[in-house]
Amino acid sequence: MSFGGQTPTIVVLKEGTDQSQGRGQIVSNINACIAVQTTIKSTLGPYGGDLMLVDENGRQTITNDGATVMKLLDIVHPAARILTDIARSQDAEVGDGTTSVVVLAGEVLKEVKEHVEAGVSSQTIIKALRRASLMATNKIKEIAVNTKETNQRDTLRKLAATAMSSKLIHRNSDFFTKMVVDAVLSLDQEDLDEKLIGIKKITGGALQDSLFVNGVAFKKTFAYAGFEQQPKSFKDPKIVCLNVELELKSEKDNAEVRVEQVSEYQAIVDAEWKIIYDKMEALYKTGAKVVLSKLPIGDLATQYFADRDVFCAGRVASEDLERVCQATGAAIQSTCSDIHPSHLGTCANFEERQIGSERYNFFEGCPAAKTCTLVLRGGAEQFIAEVERSLHDAIMIVRRAIKNTTIVAGGGACEMEVSAYLHNFADKNIPHKQQGIIKAFAKALEVIPRQLCDNAGFDATDILNRLRVEHRKGNTWAGVDFDHEGVRDNLEAFVWEPALVKINAIQAAVEATCLILSVDETIRNQESQAPQGPQRGLPAGAAQRAIRGRGRGMPRR
């Protein structure tokens, strides 16, 4: 319908809304993701550097853990945020390979960028990438080695050592791999809940002073007068765990009690005292020598228990109390009047010990121990925090390896084998448009060994050429030799990784790539706090602005 021979302008979006669309928008999104990859790829591998991230309050985080870096980077570009999601997904699913998945996703985007610019439909690229991903994961499953028949503990230690090779603690890997494997094997082998591995950090001392406690340890809680008179060590004590407050509380501000005689007021006070004394008496009669509660245990109860040679601790953190119950067989009680012997726990030794400047309560030799505690020592707070992140990755790897016994060789060996297979397959079996995309994906896989060499200061071109030759000869596990700057069989060198890490990384990277390629229009409201939409054909250098200011800072709170 026309008015006076002119077609009226129809406004669908309100004024000021920014619209970016078409091929230029896809290229812009790719450039933003490459900028993120450039930031993080220097942390990959055993010789990768660490990033220091400083938030607006000046708090520092020094790390090379991909998931932590991606979480702390203040990424404002909406497409680049997808890389944060895949890093988190990899961390939650397998616990390691978080840097690899971001580097791989960025490289796949970089390789297909020229096809996008040449006018190839993004749907054609997506279809080819999904096909390549399926072929790659099937190839990994085919070449993976099953370690079910081998010594489980020995295999797990090798996997943990590989996970630690790129971390701060790699010099002490022998010490920590034993600790990590012992920790995971102490859990219930059915569910392997990593939350039952308590990690406590105490500044001071050397890394080698770190402890593995086959039981529970937690910091001495807030203590009232009389606490020091309590015994601090028991053999085979009975333990009661409560969710009960043992403290005389002042009345609420608006509480009102009307009495006609002073004696009536005294009766109310006496009743309050009788209630708390009855509770303490009931607890003492259970025969328990250790009383723990989530809620406060006041000075009256502390002194009462001290007079009767009973140890008590109130305001115990929920997760610590839960782990005490798991280890000792106790059950948390919400009453003091109906506690049966079956509700009590026990352990071989209870002791309060001084570690550095802190005092800790230790429960060791627990009969039902399905939990453990790692007490970490170190010179600086940031250093201990990075040790904790490193151990988390190793723990997750060992945990996955118990359930999935297939392994592959690390050091770029697996990626080079899959890359050679895809190149060969594409040349012989795919004559149409998809051939170029699959070969681009195969080339992108080479970024892992290339970046490992770059970060170690090796000649990446020379080593990559030698690796290509070895894999064409059929040496499946030829990878980068970090000890002698060359090429070696990394399966024989015990550079092992769970096959699940590689499979998950490839699948997550391809899914993220396909998602980014499928977005060809961005609509942003004027009120949005993020910077205005990127212009079409944003050059790669300008895409660095996709990671916005405040240094490499933490997200706003």
Side-chain angles (χ1 to χ4, degrees):
M1 187 177 187
S2 62
F3 298 89
Q6 291 185 344
T7 305
T9 303
I10 299 173
V11 179
V12 178
L13 302 172
K14 67 182 174 183
E15 195 177 344
T17 301
D18 176 70
Q19 256 183 303
S20 307
Q21 60 187 168
R23 193 177 304 137
Q25 176 62 40
I26 297 175
V27 172
S28 165
N29 290 343
I30 290 173
N31 286 338
C33 294
I34 292 171
V36 175
Q37 183 220 33
T38 305
T39 303
I40 200 174
K41 68 183 181 182
S42 63
T43 68
L44 184 70
Y47 293 98
D50 293 343
L51 293 183
M52 178 185 285
L53 302 124
V54 185
D55 69 3
E56 62 267 31
N57 300 320
R59 191 172 61 200
Q60 303 165 351
T61 304
I62 300 172
T63 184
N64 70 355
D65 179 59
T68 306
V69 172
M70 293 302 293
K71 185 170 70 179
L72 297 182
L73 280 178
D74 189 20
I75 297 173
V76 295
H77 193 288
R81 283 183 189 161
I82 293 166
L83 298 183
T84 304
D85 294 338
I86 61 169
R88 284 181 181 166
S89 148
Q90 180 82 0
D91 195 40
E93 187 62 26
V94 284
D96 196 21
T98 48
T99 305
S100 301
V101 75
V102 176
V103 170
L104 186 57
E107 195 67 17
V108 173
L109 285 166
K110 190 188 287 183
E111 291 296 332
V112 300
K113 180 180 167 185
E114 64 183 72
H115 295 279
V116 174
E117 290 172 334
V120 179
S121 165
S122 60
Q123 291 308 314
T124 304
I125 297 173
I126 289 169
K127 207 179 292 179
L129 285 177
R130 290 215 165 114
R131 183 174 182 181
S133 169
L134 184 63
M135 289 163 58
T137 52
N138 287 339
K139 179 65 176 174
I140 292 171
K141 288 173 185 173
E142 181 191 318
I143 62 175
V145 177
N146 198 319
T147 59
K148 205 167 189 177
E149 303 304 318
T150 58
N151 182 336
Q152 186 195 35
R153 184 176 286 272
D154 197 38
T155 302
L156 294 176
R157 286 193 66 173
K158 284 165 185 164
L159 289 166
T162 304
M164 288 179 194
S165 67
S166 62
K167 308 296 182 186
L168 267 177
I169 56 175
H170 70 95
R171 294 179 190 280
N172 305 89
S173 60
D174 285 347
F175 177 77
F176 282 110
T177 51
K178 182 179 185 306
M179 186 182 283
V180 164
V181 172
D182 287 346
V184 177
L185 292 179
S186 71
L187 300 177
D188 184 345
Q189 297 300 292
E190 289 300 314
D191 58 3
L192 291 172
D193 185 0
E194 77 276 8
K195 290 176 185 168
L196 292 176
I197 300 176
I199 297 182
K200 305 296 178 184
K201 298 173 283 188
I202 307 174
T203 310
L207 269 180
Q208 300 280 1
D209 294 332
S210 300
L211 302 172
F212 168 75
V213 181
N214 190 16
V216 183
F218 57 82
K219 188 177 171 183
K220 185 191 105 167
T221 59
F222 177 84
Y224 286 92
F227 179 83
E228 293 304 337
Q229 298 167 29
Q230 293 178 353
K232 302 295 190 297
S233 176
F234 290 108
K235 295 280 185 190
D236 302 313
K238 290 181 180 176
I239 300 162
V240 63
C241 297
L242 303 171
N243 189 16
V244 176
E245 194 171 43
L246 296 176
E247 191 172 27
L248 286 168
K249 300 293 281 183
S250 59
E251 293 298 339
K252 301 291 182 192
D253 294 341
N254 59 354
E256 185 176 317
V257 180
R258 298 196 176 202
V259 294
E260 293 181 1
Q261 296 178 357
V262 174
S263 58
E264 291 176 12
Y265 175 72
Q266 186 61 42
I268 293 168
V269 173
D270 291 345
E272 284 185 321
W273 282 71
K274 185 176 187 308
I275 289 168
I276 193 167
Y277 268 111
D278 286 348
K279 287 179 180 178
M280 295 187 297
E281 188 70 28
L283 289 170
Y284 177 63
K285 284 181 178 175
T286 62
K289 284 293 183 183
V290 178
V291 178
L292 305 176
S293 179
K294 281 186 190 179
L295 299 175
I297 294 180
D299 48 1
L300 175 70
T302 303
Q303 191 63 59
Y304 178 93
F305 289 129
D307 293 342
R308 288 158 181 77
D309 286 337
V310 175
F311 175 91
C312 71
R315 297 177 183 165
V316 178
S318 295
E319 60 270 20
D320 289 333
L321 200 63
E322 184 61 41
R323 291 192 304 107
V324 169
C325 292
Q326 287 276 352
T328 63
I332 295 178
Q333 301 298 302
S334 55
T335 177
C336 299
S337 57
D338 191 28
I339 298 178
H340 301 292
S342 60
H343 299 149
L344 302 178
T346 188
C347 66
N349 294 300
F350 165 79
E351 187 181 0
E352 185 174 292
R353 271 187 248 158
Q354 187 85 15
I355 301 184
S357 59
E358 307 286 357
R359 282 161 70 177
Y360 269 69
N361 298 322
F362 285 81
F363 298 81
E364 295 175 293
C366 304
K370 299 290 183 191
T371 180
C372 64
T373 308
L374 308 181
V375 180
L376 305 181
R377 306 298 308 279
E381 208 171 302
Q382 292 95 332
F383 184 74
I384 301 178
E386 179 63 1
V387 170
E388 182 187 10
R389 285 188 285 270
S390 305
L391 289 182
H392 168 264
D393 284 7
I395 285 167
M396 291 293 284
I397 284 292
V398 171
R399 185 170 159 266
R400 287 291 170 198
I402 289 174
K403 293 186 176 181
N404 301 275
T405 54
T406 53
I407 61 149
V408 293
C414 181
E415 287 84 2
M416 288 301 295
E417 178 64 19
V418 173
S419 176
Y421 165 72
L422 288 176
H423 271 300
N424 191 38
F425 185 88
D427 285 336
K428 291 180 180 176
N429 303 306
I430 304 177
H432 48 79
K433 264 190 266 187
Q434 288 189 7
Q435 185 191 65
I437 312 298
I438 290 176
K439 287 177 77 70
F441 178 76
K443 188 181 175 190
L445 287 170
E446 294 182 353
V447 71
I448 301 296
R450 188 189 313 121
Q451 196 60 47
L452 290 173
C453 293
D454 284 343
N455 291 348
F458 299 164
D459 184 342
T461 307
D462 175 49
I463 289 178
L464 237 65
N465 284 332
R466 289 164 65 184
L467 283 173
R468 289 188 192 109
V469 170
E470 290 295 322
H471 283 273
R472 283 205 183 94
K473 286 181 187 172
N475 295 335
T476 305
W477 302 121
V480 181
D481 181 356
F482 292 103
D483 296 330
H484 306 102
E485 192 174 340
V487 174
R488 68 180 174 191
D489 185 321
N490 274 345
L491 197 70
E492 286 184 4
F494 303 120
V495 182
W496 294 357
E497 293 185 71
L500 190 67
V501 173
K502 300 298 183 189
I503 290 169
N504 204 75
I506 287 173
Q507 289 174 338
V510 169
E511 281 304 318
T513 303
C514 293
L515 185 57
I516 289 162
L517 291 172
S518 66
V519 175
D520 72 342
E521 181 167 2
T522 302
I523 301 171
R524 185 182 276 123
N525 290 335
Q526 189 180 23
E527 290 83 6
S528 174
Q529 292 300 308
Q532 289 301 303
Q535 300 302 309
R536 295 187 184 184
L538 180 70
Q544 291 288 354
R545 292 195 291 274
I547 304 173
R548 190 179 59 186
R550 306 207 308 282
R552 292 171 179 168
M554 291 181 68
R556 289 188 179 88
R557 291 189 180 86

